[in-house]
Amino acid sequence: MNFEIVAEGLAFPEGPVWMEDGSVVFVEIKAGRITRVRPDGRKEVVAEPGGGPNGAAIGPDGALYVCNNGGFDWYGEEQGLMIPGHAAADYTTGRIERVDLSTGKVERLYDLIDGFALSGPNDIVFDGHGGFWFTDLGKTRASGHDAGGLFYAMPDGSMIRRVVHGPNMNGVGLSPDGRTVYTALTSERLVLAFDVTAPGEVAPSALLPGRVVTSFPGRVLLDSMAVAADGTICVATLLDAPGIAQVDPATGQYDIVPFPDLLTTNIAFGGADMCDAWICLSTTGKLAKARWDRPGLRLAHYA
């Protein structure tokens, strides 16, 4: 697939969000900041929340809601790459933050649930009821790994709920009818589906959570996701086959659109016909733009 580089020199870009003025807002995890790139290529710093801002989405009030994983240690610089590792030395907790796009003010909404700290919030999607689903990838430490899962919360800070406790989850997306929430399990190389029974609730599962939509072989790990208008799941693939996998949710069959970065981490759709796609080439610090072969699903909210 042909693509152009719309921004480079970035500090591990992730969480792209298309704006109706044609700009794209995204996070730079390594720098702990949120950046906007204008259609003419100009870059602007929106906010500097610190930690590790990760997935992002526009809420019903026009603010940007950000999953902050709390920060990583980094390695690979000697090869010209940025590769996340264990929890940063100054890591305290993961959190959900609200960012005012006009002022850059950062407000912390959630960092605890039932008295326990969020570990590494990762990806986020709003539903049509005003709430949002988000995943927690957990946090790797030298001595072990914190557990994550699937969560649901309200943007006014009034409610947060753990929907599925573990395994550690990365990308999250909703089906066009809102009746299914999908998550990607990075190391397990699985895309899971959960039947939504009410806002923030899913059907119970026996033994293992959800149902398997598809699995990937070898060292094809999974990252963030978006959903196309026809329901196709577009999930970022890492390492052995870096790119964006287009998964048929009915059959589990997929094809991978390759991109030249070991950690091609995310995709977002936008434009008048929703066929513009922005893809994060994260280890090399680039944001790419391509014309996709199908329109993306319009999200619940834009700004």
Side-chain angles (χ1 to χ4, degrees), residues 177-248:
D177 62 9
R179 296 179 179 176
T180 307
V181 59
Y182 301 108
T183 67
L185 276 58
T186 299
S187 299
E188 293 86 349
R189 307 181 300 282
L190 299 175
V191 174
L192 298 183
F194 299 86
D195 295 325
V196 177
T197 56
E201 298 180 12
V202 299
S205 304
L207 297 179
L208 299 176
R211 63 181 186 277
V212 174
V213 176
T214 196
S215 61
F216 291 78
R219 296 177 66 229
V220 180
L221 307 185
L222 305 183
D223 210 289
S224 299
M225 70 168 63
V227 176
D230 65 1
T232 299
I233 304 163
C234 300
V235 60
T237 52
L238 314 175
L239 298 184
D240 278 0
I244 304 295
Q246 300 192 97
V247 183
D248 183 331

Side-chain angles (χ1 to χ4, degrees), residues 42-288:
R42 288 181 295 123
K43 290 184 289 186
E44 304 168 357
V45 174
V46 173
E48 297 183 279
N54 210 138
I58 298 294
D61 58 354
L64 187 73
Y65 289 79
V66 177
C67 293
N68 194 314
N69 63 48
F72 295 116
D73 282 335
W74 297 84
Y75 61 98
E77 285 87 348
E78 63 274 11
Q79 288 86 36
L81 304 176
M82 291 171 283
I83 301 174
H86 292 164
D90 61 354
Y91 169 83
T92 55
T93 183
R95 59 260 193 189
I96 302 296
E97 296 168 325
R98 177 189 183 274
V99 178
D100 187 315
L101 291 170
S102 61
T103 66
K105 179 183 177 182
V106 179
E107 175 188 2
R108 185 176 296 198
L109 287 182
Y110 303 103
D111 55 16
L112 295 172
I113 179 169
D114 300 330
F116 294 95
L118 294 173
S119 297
N122 189 280
D123 202 8
I124 178 172
V125 63
F126 276 85
D127 63 15
H129 302 281
F132 60 90
W133 299 87
F134 74 94
T135 52
D136 193 314
L137 190 58
K139 206 67 177 178
T140 301
R141 308 169 185 269
S143 58
H145 198 295
D146 296 341
L150 177 65
F151 297 76
Y152 187 83
M154 296 302 294
D156 61 0
S158 64
M159 186 274 284
I160 182 172
R161 174 185 300 155
R162 181 185 286 110
V163 182
V164 178
H165 180 61
N168 303 306
M169 297 182 182
N170 196 316
V172 65
L174 283 168
S175 62
D177 62 9
R179 296 179 179 176
T180 307
V181 59
Y182 301 108
T183 67
L185 276 58
T186 299
S187 299
E188 293 86 349
R189 307 181 300 282
L190 299 175
V191 174
L192 298 183
F194 299 86
D195 295 325
V196 177
T197 56
E201 298 180 12
V202 299
S205 304
L207 297 179
L208 299 176
R211 63 181 186 277
V212 174
V213 176
T214 196
S215 61
F216 291 78
R219 296 177 66 229
V220 180
L221 307 185
L222 305 183
D223 210 289
S224 299
M225 70 168 63
V227 176
D230 65 1
T232 299
I233 304 163
C234 300
V235 60
T237 52
L238 314 175
L239 298 184
D240 278 0
I244 304 295
Q246 300 192 97
V247 183
D248 183 331
T251 67
Q253 297 297 306
Y254 63 84
D255 63 271
I256 296 177
V257 180
F259 283 90
D261 192 298
L262 286 175
L263 301 185
T264 297
T265 58
N266 210 332
I267 181 172
F269 294 104
D273 61 1
M274 296 301 290
C275 286
D276 289 337
W278 285 267
I279 300 97
C280 294
L281 310 181
S282 296
T283 69
T284 53
K286 298 174 183 178
L287 182 67

